[in-house]
Amino acid sequence: MSATDQPLLSVRDLKKHFPIKGGILGRTQAMVQAVDGVSFDVRAGETLGIVGESGCGKSTTAKLLIGLVDRDEGDIELGGKSLGRDISLRALRRDIQMVFQDSYASLNPRMTILDSIAFGARVQGLDDPVGRARRLMARVGLDPDRFAGRYPHELSGGQRQRINIARALVMSPKVVVLDEAVSALDKSVEAQVLNLLSDLRAEFGLTYIFISHDLNVVRYISDRILVMYLGEVVELAPVDMIWAEQAHPYTRSLFSAMPSMDPDNRTQKPPLTGDPPNPIDPPPGCRFHTRCAFAADVCKARHPVLGPMVQGSPHWVACHLHDPASGHPRAGQGVPA
Ligand code: SF4
């Protein structure tokens, strides 16, 4: 995988808390801490996979990145320029595009395929939107002479997702956020679309943020994997490193829940039990302590900070087990088997 070391996208302390309103006056009763202090960098040409349970904040993070949801706090920088200070939301929309899971809901049912793809380029005032749309249709494998005048309901799910990919690329973005973009597809179509995404990344020099609940799919396409739990980043590492060693107990549980067709490869590790805590009132200290087999008193009292496993390592984790100064009785021994 080719990627320079310079971050193209930098996210710092991103926060989004959604109000829950109630009562006859519609007053705010509580706040859901959907994303709470998320930070990461993405290098140009890299694919960052984001995984975690439903409700961990993956999709909200994606929507914050493209400005579909306003952030409460934090900074997003693209190419060294800060969103809101140096670049407008309109400019950001040209540089960061998104492909959603629901291929049908993403398209206007009253617009032809060609118009849907060309729409964004027209709005942004780019040259030759129709020519761009036709070229991209051909590139994603749909003959423009056959498909340009069709409507979304006339296409299969795989064809619609190819159209959504073309629609995202029509403005020549730098970053494409793929939010469960292949999750609703049949396995055979999923493989074709993943290969298409890999080819397009190389051809157009794209940078991907790939969100999925399927670890095998994330492994296939990603350079690094970021794990989220209850609105926070708990682990971040290159794919090979995290596949060889899951440092955070939550990541271990996610991996142990992964189905395997190989009877010799069945895990003996305990799967994750219990439901995630309420994001309105997350547990103090480590948010995972209510479900963690290695929780100690320090885990309930102190919030673990995300940092490298050892000085200079690209493998980062937020867990007292890996911090010798934390006071955890098993600190420095890694995650016990
Ligand atoms: Fe478990 Fe403590 Fe690590 Fe949290 S900090 S994951 S509770 S060992």
Side-chain angles (χ1 to χ4, degrees):
M1 302 283 179
S2 65
T4 67
D5 286 336
Q6 188 63 32
L8 173 65
L9 183 70
S10 274
V11 175
R12 289 290 174 272
D13 296 323
L14 202 57
K15 282 192 186 175
K16 182 65 194 179
H17 296 182
F18 291 105
I20 296 189
K21 301 200 183 237
I24 46 175
L25 296 177
R27 290 207 173 111
T28 299
Q29 313 267 310
M31 301 295 281
V32 174
Q33 300 182 22
V35 172
D36 203 31
V38 164
S39 299
F40 59 87
D41 288 335
V42 189
R43 295 185 295 272
E46 177 184 42
T47 297
L48 177 71
I50 302 183
V51 299
E53 289 170 293
S54 294
C56 69
K58 311 184 291 282
S59 293
T60 303
T61 300
K63 287 176 187 156
L64 289 165
L65 291 180
I66 65 161
L68 268 185
V69 172
D70 290 335
R71 62 194 190 274
D72 294 335
E73 288 177 35
D75 199 21
I76 300 170
E77 282 193 2
L78 183 70
K81 293 182 177 168
S82 174
L83 171 62
R85 192 180 65 217
D86 307 317
I87 37 174
S88 66
L89 193 57
R90 183 184 165 94
L92 181 90
R93 291 254 163 86
R94 206 166 47 220
D95 287 336
I96 305 186
Q97 282 288 304
M98 187 157 170
V99 178
F100 297 88
Q101 178 177 7
D102 190 336
S103 63
Y104 192 69
S106 305
L107 295 166
N108 185 334
R110 293 167 194 271
M111 284 174 99
T112 65
I113 296 307
L114 186 72
D115 283 342
S116 279
I117 298 174
F119 183 79
R122 275 203 190 100
V123 169
Q124 291 277 351
L126 303 183
D127 291 343
D128 189 17
V130 171
R132 281 172 175 254
R134 289 183 66 87
R135 285 192 291 278
L136 278 166
M137 283 186 73
R139 183 59 195 85
V140 298
L142 294 172
D143 180 359
D145 292 334
R146 279 183 59 209
F147 288 95
R150 295 196 191 179
Y151 289 86
H153 72 272
E154 298 177 85
L155 305 182
S156 68
Q159 288 170 331
R160 278 197 299 269
Q161 207 55 314
R162 286 171 189 268
I163 294 301
N164 282 313
I165 292 167
R167 211 166 60 117
L169 298 188
V170 77
M171 284 180 275
S172 306
K174 295 181 175 122
V175 179
V176 181
V177 181
L178 300 136
D179 187 6
E180 301 280 7
V182 297
S183 305
L185 304 178
D186 293 341
K187 277 292 162 198
S188 59
V189 179
E190 179 185 83
Q192 291 170 15
V193 174
L194 282 173
N195 287 333
L196 173 67
L197 287 169
S198 289
D199 293 345
L200 292 171
R201 185 179 81 157
E203 187 175 333
F204 294 107
L206 297 168
T207 300
Y208 289 155
I209 294 178
F210 190 90
I211 296 169
S212 177
H213 63 276
D214 187 332
L215 283 165
N216 281 313
V217 168
V218 172
R219 180 190 194 184
Y220 177 75
I221 199 160
S222 304
D223 299 299
R224 288 187 301 150
I225 293 182
L226 180 149
V227 184
M228 287 187 72
Y229 182 76
L230 217 61
E232 297 181 333
V233 179
V234 296
E235 191 161 358
L236 173 63
V239 167
D240 292 346
M241 279 191 178
I242 205 167
W243 224 262
E245 181 192 6
Q246 301 94 51
H248 197 283
Y250 173 64
T251 313
R252 268 201 149 195
S253 304
L254 278 185
F255 275 65
S256 69
M258 200 169 42
S260 173
M261 298 298 287
D262 179 358
D264 296 330
N265 202 22
R266 297 233 169 103
T267 180
Q268 302 301 316
K269 296 171 207 159
L272 191 57
T273 55
D275 294 326
N278 190 341
I280 292 173
D281 185 21
C286 172
R287 291 188 173 184
F288 188 57
H289 84 250
T290 54
R291 302 166 86 189
C292 180
F294 312 108
D297 287 346
V298 64
C299 304
K300 297 170 194 162
R302 275 176 51 189
H303 184 260
V305 177
L306 185 71
M309 294 264 289
V310 289
Q311 189 73 27
S313 170
H315 193 159
W316 287 40
V317 65
C319 172
H320 292 314
L321 278 173
H322 300 279
D323 177 8
S326 69
H328 193 291
R330 300 175 88 157
Q333 297 171 23
V335 182

